[in-house]
Amino acid sequence: NAGVMQNPRHLVRRRGQEARLRCSPMKGHSHVYWYRQLPEEGLKFMVYLQKENIIDESGMPKERFSAEFPKEGPSILRIQQVVRGDSAAYFCASSVDHGGSYGYTFGSGTRLTVV
Amino acid sequence: EDQVTQSPEALRLQEGESSSLNCSYTVSGLRGLFWYRQDPGKGPEFLFTLYSAGEEKEKERLKATLTKKESFLHITAPKPEDSATYLCAVQDGVAGAQKLVFGQGTRLTINP
């Protein structure tokens, strides 16, 4: 059981470039969540997805950020035209059901640095 | 709006010196309160879920308790390997059970 897999672990982008972060949930989990951890801040919810559906994106910035979870393949968090303020650790979590009755499992995160 | 406040921000203990971490919360309707451990450069690692006031759970040197307004993580006779940031999060059963609202964490250091 490989757990929640995130890649890349570290990503460096210049201002204005695009960043793509990938997340493969645990085997048997069909619910995916993205969280962002800014320096010296707590984890903040961004978006909740099921296969081919965005269920709750209330924590996503309105511009430049998008997420998908296609029928096949990993979930993708996409940040267009990155700015320095996007530098953070982005964590993906997965669960068996939407309420996390059996818990949420987190990946090791992608650390994005914008230079 | 749901809120979680953890105290202290940082705590330094000697090996074997027991203590408690606090998590105060405000939530419309608590569905669950979660404790996670996070090591530097890693993702949160699940420790406990508590669902109702009065509930207690234990794992090795850790014991989590829950009241209607706060939760405590008691650490008994800690060892250096217990050094980590401990995160508390609530799940709101009214506003949306699909997300966790996290506190800022308590950074625990155990000196040998």
Side-chain angles (χ1 to χ4, degrees):
Chain A
N1 190 346
V4 177
M5 303 301 293
Q6 289 190 249
N7 63 82
R9 290 294 308 275
H10 299 275
L11 182 62
V12 179
R13 284 287 177 266
R14 294 186 186 280
R15 281 178 295 169
Q17 290 185 321
E18 178 180 288
R20 281 185 179 239
L21 289 61
R22 288 176 291 277
C23 168
S24 296
M26 276 189 71
K27 187 176 180 181
H29 288 193
S30 57
H31 302 258
V32 167
Y33 315 79
W34 286 92
Y35 287 79
R36 177 165 67 173
Q37 189 171 39
L38 292 165
E40 306 303 321
E41 292 190 20
L43 284 151
K44 303 287 187 193
F45 169 81
M46 299 181 74
V47 62
Y48 161 48
L49 310 103
Q50 295 178 27
K51 286 284 187 182
E52 301 184 279
N53 284 301
I54 297 174
I55 308 301
D56 179 358
E57 56 182 350
S58 58
M60 284 272 269
K62 295 286 183 255
E63 298 178 354
R64 303 186 296 107
F65 285 72
S66 62
E68 63 177 8
F69 189 15
K71 188 176 181 181
E72 300 292 336
S75 175
I76 306 287
L77 180 67
R78 181 183 178 204
I79 311 172
Q80 294 179 289
Q81 299 175 337
V82 296
V83 301
R84 288 231 170 95
D86 297 332
S87 295
Y90 292 82
F91 291 95
C92 171
S94 70
S95 67
V96 168
D97 62 2
H98 93 282
S101 301
Y102 301 95
Y104 299 88
T105 303
F106 282 80
S108 295
T110 293
R111 278 140 192 90
L112 172 66
T113 302
V114 179
V115 297
Chain B
E1 184 179 328
D2 299 340
Q3 280 194 314
V4 178
T5 303
Q6 292 187 246
S7 62
E9 287 186 15
L11 180 62
R12 192 177 290 270
L13 301 172
Q14 290 298 121
E15 184 173 0
E17 181 184 359
S18 301
S19 188
S20 296
L21 312 183
N22 177 263
C23 171
S24 299
Y25 64 89
T26 305
V27 66
S28 303
L30 182 69
R31 190 174 188 275
L33 184 140
F34 295 73
W35 281 99
Y36 283 86
R37 169 192 170 128
Q38 187 174 24
D39 292 297
K42 297 194 175 179
E45 177 188 339
F46 173 76
L47 293 173
F48 305 107
T49 308
L50 301 168
Y51 294 102
S52 57
E55 189 175 0
E56 298 182 353
K57 287 191 176 174
E58 286 188 67
K59 179 180 178 181
E60 295 181 357
R61 295 177 291 282
L62 299 176
K63 178 180 175 180
T65 61
L66 181 65
T67 72
K68 288 187 177 179
K69 293 186 177 181
E70 57 191 354
S71 176
F72 292 93
L73 185 65
H74 306 278
I75 302 176
T76 302
K79 298 182 178 181
E81 53 261 42
D82 295 321
S83 297
T85 296
Y86 289 84
L87 304 174
C88 171
V90 296
Q91 186 183 36
D92 190 331
V94 174
Q98 62 271 20
K99 60 188 177 187
L100 299 178
V101 177
F102 281 87
Q104 300 278 77
T106 293
R107 190 169 60 254
L108 177 66
T109 304
I110 308 299
N111 294 317

